[in-house]
Amino acid sequence: MEAQQASPDSSSEECTVLETSKGTGSKGTGLTCSQHNGKVPALYCVPCENAVCEDCLNAEHAEHPTDSLENIVNQHLAVLQDRVDAVKNRLPQIRESVQCLRDILQQLNTQRSSIEEDIHSSFSDLHKTLDTRKSVLLMELEVTYGLKQKVLQGQLDTLLQEEAAINYNCSLTKEALDGGNKAVVLQTNKDVGERLSKLASQGLPLQPEENDQLDLVMEIEGLRKSIHNLGTVVTSNAVACQTEASGEGLEQCVVGLPTSVIITTRDKAGGLCKTGNAIISAEVFTPDGSVADGEIVDHKNGTYEFQYTVKKEGNFSLALRLYDQHIKGSPFKLKVASSPDDSPCTTTAANAASTGSSDGGARKRSAKSPGSRSRQKGVRRAGSLFSTPKKRVNPIEDDLIFRIGTKGRNKGEFTNLQGVAASSDGKILIADSNNQCVQMFSNTGEFQNRFGVRGRSPGQLQRPTGVAVHPNGDIIIADYDNKWVSIFSSEGKYKAKLGSGRLMGPKGVSVDQNGHVIVVDNKACMVFIFQPSGKLVTKFGSRGNGDRQFAGPHFAAVNNNNEIIITDFHNHSVKVFNADGDFLLKFGSNGEGNGQFNAPTGVAVDVNGNIIVADWGNSRIQVFDGSGSFLSYINTAADPLYGPQGLALTSDGHVVVADSGNHCFKVYRYLQ
């Protein structure tokens, strides 16, 4: 083995040159001194950072401090081991990140395939629509031409017949007129004279009775412009590790009062994202599960506002996620006080530390971005109906039959129950959101079955919020966090999913008279209608407060006329559409009076077309006729509701409601 050479920038002082021993001897050091007849070095020159033998100490290393070679080797071994351990400690993080990136790439590929399918399907539908319109125009042309041609051809035939008759009769008189004998003249006048008189005096259609106009008006230019701008591939460069949140709602809020948090999205380099459409989720929770409903408002400028209301005081966590990844500092520590005077003193510092900024910096960033807005919500009421009995008008004398459930994760226990459905064969189904399952009971409240495994793969549930039963017995579940709708058999075996790549946050589901699946997309503020096979039939709605717009829609029901009824949570109204998505009517406004709402949620329709609505913020159930006129309310005073969610009518005619705040479902008598 060649001797090691000193580097050009090393000390000019000559150092001992060592050779590596090829054998296993030399007391196991593996080193020999090349300058002193292969002596084995036992010491280590600290300044020169080299092993030396005893002879070296009497020569060039005489004045240098030394240490035992074994001690130095042991120190180096310890340092190397520490560095190896430190490097190996990064492997789990790398593997986790690799798996995360693979999942994102897989989802990206799935999204691309889904959008590609949508593009082909949409343009295929456009081609079919254009071909249909082409056929209609050609048919219209033929009908119009036929009518005109029939009139003109009939007129032409009449005139030609008259011309032939005149020529024929005139030819018969030619002999008499050319000097025939008296007998011929008399006979001709007798045979032809009267006919000639009629022909001469007969009215004829000499003026055209139709015209030749056939024109085509095609507004092609406007259509070309529309087609040129048709469709947009929406995305964002926002990443969770750079995205920040600010505002008072990060640290504190007051029970029953709405508050908000501003989320500012940034790209991988920390630059501000200036467009919207990022997928953000938010949740206020305790270790037992979610405790607050809210809405995320996209300001379309890279900032988002999470508006929420908490129903009880205490210490909570606020999780803010971008594409299912926690943003900077998430989850945050949140203090919920009973009144504005009970201001927290420790939460600010904790959150400032978690976000890497001071309290002052956090407060400075809490200023709302341009165009941001807060939607005023009514204060949540813990009681049912009205605070004073004298306000009750025309109550239906119904009573609570039974209630099932407590807070927990076992059979018959719930954590944030949401959607409710009832089957024709006497079953009640509950979407147990934070337990990631669906529980089934009989109409009399006996537990029957429970199914669902937490996860983000097909057949698993991440956050089931809506549930419905198809006429064929299949169970349809809206999975808010997985952004799709899952279909299970009546026994709870997974069959298929639909809406993947299209839905942003499905909340409620229902089934119409045609067996189509109606999905209320809370996050996209749209309603989708699918065939059970997954083919999109139609979709309608957008974010806003117009007749065909929504602000956080929740649940849906279908009446006997196949009309779709949607609860519009933040617009405090209920809207009715036909099966094609055309707006029919709406009713309700923000308030506590009869017919008013403070964020409606569950909805059902009875056999007479009356509409039953769960009024979340007012903690009551109201009843309306099919035109939206207030009729009455369900009497829930004996056991008050606390934030009711899904609602349904059982096969034996009772009302079942998810009493989310009380962690149970309740069944009431309902006199139809």
Side-chain angles (χ1 to χ4, degrees):
M1 186 169 182
E2 294 184 1
Q4 296 179 356
Q5 300 296 324
S7 62
D9 58 348
S10 65
S11 171
S12 60
E13 182 179 0
E14 183 182 357
C15 293
T16 303
V17 179
L18 300 174
E19 289 184 350
T20 303
S21 174
K22 296 180 181 179
T24 58
S26 303
K27 299 181 181 180
T29 64
L31 296 173
T32 59
C33 182
S34 62
Q35 293 188 2
H36 298 98
N37 299 321
K39 283 191 174 183
V40 177
L43 299 173
Y44 184 83
C45 179
V46 176
C48 298
E49 297 183 351
N50 209 345
V52 294
C53 68
E54 292 180 358
D55 291 346
C56 293
L57 295 179
N58 298 322
E60 64 269 22
H61 298 280
E63 303 298 328
H64 295 180
T66 60
D67 196 354
S68 166
L69 178 61
E70 184 175 355
N71 289 341
I72 296 298
V73 169
N74 288 336
Q75 291 175 17
H76 285 189
L77 285 174
V79 170
L80 284 173
Q81 186 63 51
D82 289 343
R83 289 175 178 174
V84 168
D85 292 342
V87 169
K88 285 185 176 180
N89 286 339
R90 301 208 66 187
L91 289 177
Q93 298 174 336
I94 293 173
R95 292 184 185 120
E96 184 179 352
S97 296
V98 166
Q99 185 58 48
C100 177
L101 289 173
R102 283 175 175 164
D103 291 343
I104 292 173
L105 282 170
Q106 182 179 359
Q107 180 64 18
L108 181 65
N109 185 61
T110 301
Q111 293 288 89
R112 183 193 67 82
S113 300
S114 177
I115 291 174
E116 185 178 29
E117 179 186 343
D118 282 349
I119 291 173
H120 285 301
S121 175
S122 297
F123 278 86
S124 176
D125 289 343
L126 282 175
H127 281 301
K128 290 177 183 177
T129 302
L130 287 171
D131 287 340
T132 300
R133 184 57 185 162
K134 174 183 173 182
S135 299
V136 169
L137 283 174
L138 290 173
M139 184 180 299
E140 185 179 335
L141 174 63
E142 286 303 308
V143 170
T144 305
Y145 164 79
L147 292 174
K148 284 179 171 285
Q149 188 268 347
K150 183 177 181 180
V151 171
L152 291 170
Q153 189 63 51
Q155 185 180 3
L156 177 61
D157 291 344
T158 298
L159 291 176
L160 289 174
Q161 289 174 5
E162 290 296 317
E163 181 184 21
I166 290 173
N167 289 334
Y168 173 73
N169 285 284
C170 286
S171 67
L172 292 178
T173 62
K174 185 173 182 357
E175 183 180 353
L177 294 174
D178 289 344
N181 57 39
K182 295 176 181 178
V184 172
V185 171
L186 291 173
Q187 186 61 42
T188 299
N189 184 61
K190 180 179 179 181
D191 294 338
V192 183
E194 186 175 349
R195 277 185 286 172
L196 288 172
S197 297
K198 287 182 179 180
L199 288 172
S201 61
Q202 182 174 314
L204 297 175
L206 300 177
Q207 299 301 319
E209 296 178 350
E210 252 298 354
N211 57 61
D212 61 355
Q213 182 184 11
L214 275 178
D215 294 324
L216 177 64
V217 177
M218 292 281 283
E219 299 292 341
I220 294 178
E221 192 57 37
L223 181 60
R224 274 202 193 98
K225 289 181 180 178
S226 297
I227 292 175
H228 182 74
N229 297 316
L230 181 63
T232 302
V233 177
V234 176
T235 188
S236 168
N237 293 324
V239 294
C241 62
Q242 296 285 3
T243 295
E244 301 170 328
S246 59
E248 290 294 333
L250 274 182
E251 307 164 356
Q252 59 186 341
C253 68
V254 178
V255 172
L257 294 182
T259 189
S260 64
V261 173
I262 298 297
I263 302 159
T264 303
T265 55
R266 297 180 182 271
D267 61 24
K268 64 180 182 181
L272 289 172
C273 296
K274 298 181 180 180
T275 59
N277 302 306
I279 299 176
I280 294 176
S281 61
E283 187 178 23
V284 177
F285 63 94
T286 63
D288 296 324
S290 176
V291 297
D293 271 309
E295 178 197 11
I296 295 176
V297 179
D298 185 352
H299 296 310
K300 302 298 182 183
N301 61 359
T303 65
Y304 303 78
E305 186 174 2
F306 174 47
Q307 305 168 347
Y308 67 95
T309 304
V310 182
K311 298 171 285 188
K312 56 185 178 182
E313 63 180 309
N315 294 314
F316 301 93
S317 294
L318 169 60
L320 299 174
R321 296 181 178 90
L322 175 67
Y323 301 110
D324 294 328
Q325 302 291 318
H326 282 287
I327 70 169
K328 272 187 179 180
S330 176
F332 301 92
K333 294 179 180 179
L334 177 66
K335 173 73 173 180
V336 182
S338 59
S339 67
D341 296 331
D342 300 333
S343 58
C345 57
T346 58
T347 311
T348 301
N351 283 339
S354 68
T355 57
S357 62
S358 66
D359 176 63
R363 293 185 183 276
K364 183 176 181 180
R365 291 197 307 273
S366 69
K368 294 183 179 179
S369 61
S372 66
R373 57 190 172 89
S374 295
R375 182 177 290 107
Q376 181 65 36
K377 302 176 185 176
V379 177
R380 287 276 342 273
R381 295 165 58 91
S384 169
L385 301 175
F386 308 105
S387 58
T388 55
K390 66 181 181 180
K391 284 190 176 181
R392 296 181 181 175
V393 179
N394 187 29
I396 301 176
E397 294 301 332
D398 293 341
D399 297 313
L400 176 68
I401 301 174
F402 61 84
R403 60 177 283 171
I404 299 292
T406 57
K407 189 173 184 179
R409 299 188 179 277
N410 298 316
K411 296 177 181 179
E413 297 178 341
F414 306 100
T415 307
N416 191 28
L417 65 170
Q418 295 273 314
V420 177
S423 67
S424 59
D425 60 350
K427 292 185 178 66
I428 296 172
L429 295 90
I430 307 293
D432 192 359
S433 182
N434 285 24
N435 286 333
Q436 291 86 28
C437 70
V438 169
Q439 300 198 46
M440 301 169 61
F441 301 82
S442 69
N443 277 353
T444 54
E446 288 84 11
F447 175 84
Q448 293 187 339
N449 190 18
R450 165 178 167 159
F451 65 90
V453 176
R454 180 178 183 176
R456 296 187 179 276
S457 300
Q460 297 178 322
L461 301 175
Q462 188 65 22
R463 189 181 173 189
T465 52
V467 61
V469 180
H470 196 275
N472 65 11
D474 286 346
I475 299 170
I476 301 165
I477 302 170
D479 194 330
Y480 191 93
D481 281 356
N482 277 333
K483 304 177 182 62
W484 63 54
V485 172
S486 296
I487 301 178
F488 293 80
S489 70
S490 57
E491 292 80 27
K493 294 182 179 179
Y494 175 72
K495 298 178 70 174
K497 67 183 175 76
L498 55 87
S500 179
R502 290 189 175 95
L503 302 173
M504 295 177 64
K507 174 78 172 182
V509 286
S510 187
V511 181
D512 69 8
Q513 305 291 332
N514 301 318
H516 294 154
V517 178
I518 298 166
V519 184
V520 181
D521 194 327
N522 174 269
K523 189 175 290 186
C525 291
M526 297 180 70
V527 175
F528 291 78
I529 302 178
F530 296 94
Q531 293 179 359
S533 64
K535 180 177 175 60
L536 179 65
V537 177
T538 189
K539 60 182 178 180
F540 59 91
S542 61
R543 183 178 298 279
N545 55 13
D547 289 344
R548 296 188 78 249
Q549 294 180 310
F550 305 103
H554 267 49
F555 292 98
V558 179
N559 63 19
N560 291 331
N561 297 325
N562 210 31
E563 294 168 345
I564 303 167
I565 303 160
I566 307 292
T567 52
D568 196 353
F569 191 83
H570 290 291
N571 282 331
H572 310 288
S573 61
V574 175
K575 297 176 179 177
V576 183
F577 303 83
N578 66 16
D580 296 322
D582 297 324
F583 174 78
L584 299 177
L585 65 95
K586 70 176 178 180
F587 57 91
S589 60
N590 190 12
E592 299 180 357
N594 293 342
Q596 292 185 308
F597 300 111
N598 185 3
T601 47
V603 62
V605 184
D606 68 19
V607 293
N608 299 316
N610 296 322
I611 302 170
I612 309 162
V613 183
D615 189 356
W616 179 83
N618 290 324
S619 290
R620 62 184 179 183
I621 302 172
Q622 300 191 72
V623 184
F624 302 81
D625 66 17
S627 64
S629 297
F630 173 78
L631 294 178
S632 194
Y633 50 84
I634 305 295
N635 189 347
T636 61
D639 189 0
L641 298 170
Y642 190 28
Q645 287 278 353
L647 182 146
L649 275 171
T650 64
S651 58
D652 53 356
H654 300 317
V655 170
V656 55
V657 60
D659 192 356
S660 184
N662 288 319
H663 312 289
C664 67
F665 71 88
K666 296 174 180 176
V667 176
Y668 295 93
R669 292 186 183 87
Y670 175 67
L671 304 179
Q672 302 185 41

